[in-house]
Amino acid sequence: MRPEVAFRREDRLGESPVWSVREGALWWVDIHRPAILRAALPGPDAVAEWELTGNVGSIGLRRGGGVVAALRTGFALLDGDGGVQHLAQPIADQADLRFNDGRVDRRGRFWAGTVQERRVPGLAGLYRLYPDGSCRQMVSGITVSNGLAWSPDDRTMYLACSHERTVYAYEYDLDAGALGSRRVFTRFGSTDGVPDGATVDSLGCYWIAHFDGGKLTRFNPRGEVDQVVPMPVPRPTSCAFGGPGLDTLYVTSARFNLDPAALDAAPLSGSVFALRPGVAGLAEPEFGR
């Protein structure tokens, strides 16, 4: 299970990969460029890019085509022609906060968390966006939201706080879109980097990227390490299953703030990688609008 380059890139902060079964294409973002990217086939000329004027933290697929996005201060709908329709902006008046990791649940709601850029503890949160455009904060008291994913039975929602090096598991009510009790799923050690983006496979195991840890880890549903995959870059950022059988794991990465020596040692930083882990993932839901 050796990661190979799917798309040779120099993304500053590649993130939020999501595979569209309907399109047969991989979408992802470069938060700091900022841009949304789409590729239907591997190759140097396969990537289409939509540049934006401000940070884009994450995206989800839409039933109507295009993507729903968590931009710096709130949500927006983007169509395939580059049109942008802004929705709720829940942190427009809050300094040093921006939206980050997010994804769509299996009832067509988009969830996205925020980052406190100066790492002041407890000022970030997690928000839920309904297809009608209404928005509600669902979690508070975190610092860097990441690692969002749901178990295949939709009874568990995973959420990481990178600043705390901790992944939490919440009881989840899919019909109501409500969270119950929280427990610690796993904690990262001091040499493991920090928990970043994640996904869940069809067997219910949780895959997460170690930013500044140079690896992916697969945890079983009990929070025990099942598999570790070394990456050829120090900053893998997130992962998503894709391909015709949803059995390819795509991994985004970052190169921002790496010094010249680090980039010489890891020149593929910022690329998108692909590996075959021997297990399939789940089709990503689409936002209901």
Side-chain angles (χ1 to χ4, degrees):
M1 187 168 46
R2 184 176 64 186
E4 298 182 352
V5 176
F7 304 103
R8 180 70 183 264
R9 304 279 307 169
E10 293 187 354
D11 293 341
R12 294 187 63 201
L13 181 50
E15 269 282 8
S16 192
V18 57
W19 177 265
S20 171
V21 172
R22 178 158 48 91
E23 300 174 79
L26 182 73
W27 293 78
W28 73 100
V29 308
D30 185 344
I31 292 178
H32 288 332
R33 185 177 167 185
I36 295 174
L37 306 112
R38 177 186 178 276
L41 295 171
D45 301 320
V47 180
E49 305 181 11
W50 290 267
E51 294 194 7
L52 302 174
T53 58
N55 297 125
V56 51
S58 55
I59 54 174
L61 305 173
R62 291 174 57 200
R63 291 176 189 169
V67 295
V68 57
L71 304 182
R72 181 174 179 86
T73 63
F75 301 101
L77 304 178
L78 291 87
D79 60 35
D81 298 323
V84 180
Q85 178 184 349
H86 291 280
L87 303 175
Q89 305 292 306
I91 59 170
D93 60 347
Q94 300 183 49
D96 303 315
L97 279 180
R98 68 164 177 82
F99 271 98
N100 196 47
D101 187 56
R103 71 184 332 125
V104 179
D105 73 11
R106 277 179 277 273
R107 287 291 185 271
R109 298 165 294 228
F110 184 54
W111 296 65
T114 57
V115 169
Q116 215 298 322
E117 294 177 305
R118 293 187 294 114
R119 302 302 188 261
V120 179
L123 297 186
L126 178 71
Y127 293 79
R128 182 190 64 198
L129 177 71
Y130 275 99
D132 66 5
S134 61
C135 172
R136 178 183 174 187
Q137 185 172 359
M138 301 299 295
V139 176
S140 61
I142 56 178
T143 310
V144 179
S145 179
N146 258 314
L148 183 63
W150 285 272
S151 61
D153 64 6
D154 292 307
R155 294 183 177 180
T156 302
M157 187 189 82
Y158 299 99
L159 181 69
C161 179
S162 300
H163 189 67
E164 299 173 6
R165 299 178 184 267
T166 301
V167 182
Y168 296 100
Y170 290 80
E171 293 181 351
Y172 188 64
D173 182 329
L174 176 63
D175 290 333
L179 303 176
S181 63
R182 185 182 82 169
R183 60 182 171 87
V184 172
F185 179 69
T186 189
R187 296 188 190 277
F188 279 30
S190 59
T191 61
D192 287 331
V194 298
D196 206 336
T199 192
V200 170
D201 64 33
S202 60
L203 299 181
C205 292
Y206 179 80
W207 295 79
I208 189 164
H210 294 238
F211 187 91
D212 278 336
K215 61 186 177 182
L216 303 178
T217 297
R218 184 193 195 215
F219 292 92
N220 67 26
R222 296 181 298 278
E224 300 163 341
V225 174
D226 176 80
Q227 204 164 8
V228 176
V229 181
M231 295 295 297
V233 292
R235 291 182 166 178
T237 56
S238 191
C239 50
F241 284 93
L246 294 177
D247 56 0
T248 298
L249 190 63
Y250 290 99
V251 184
T252 49
S253 66
R255 64 189 288 118
F256 82 103
N257 288 347
L258 290 176
D259 61 32
L263 289 173
D264 285 343
L268 296 176
S269 293
S271 296
V272 178
F273 300 89
L275 57 99
R276 300 293 291 271
V279 64
L282 301 166
E284 284 291 333
E286 297 177 331
F287 185 63
R289 183 170 173 180

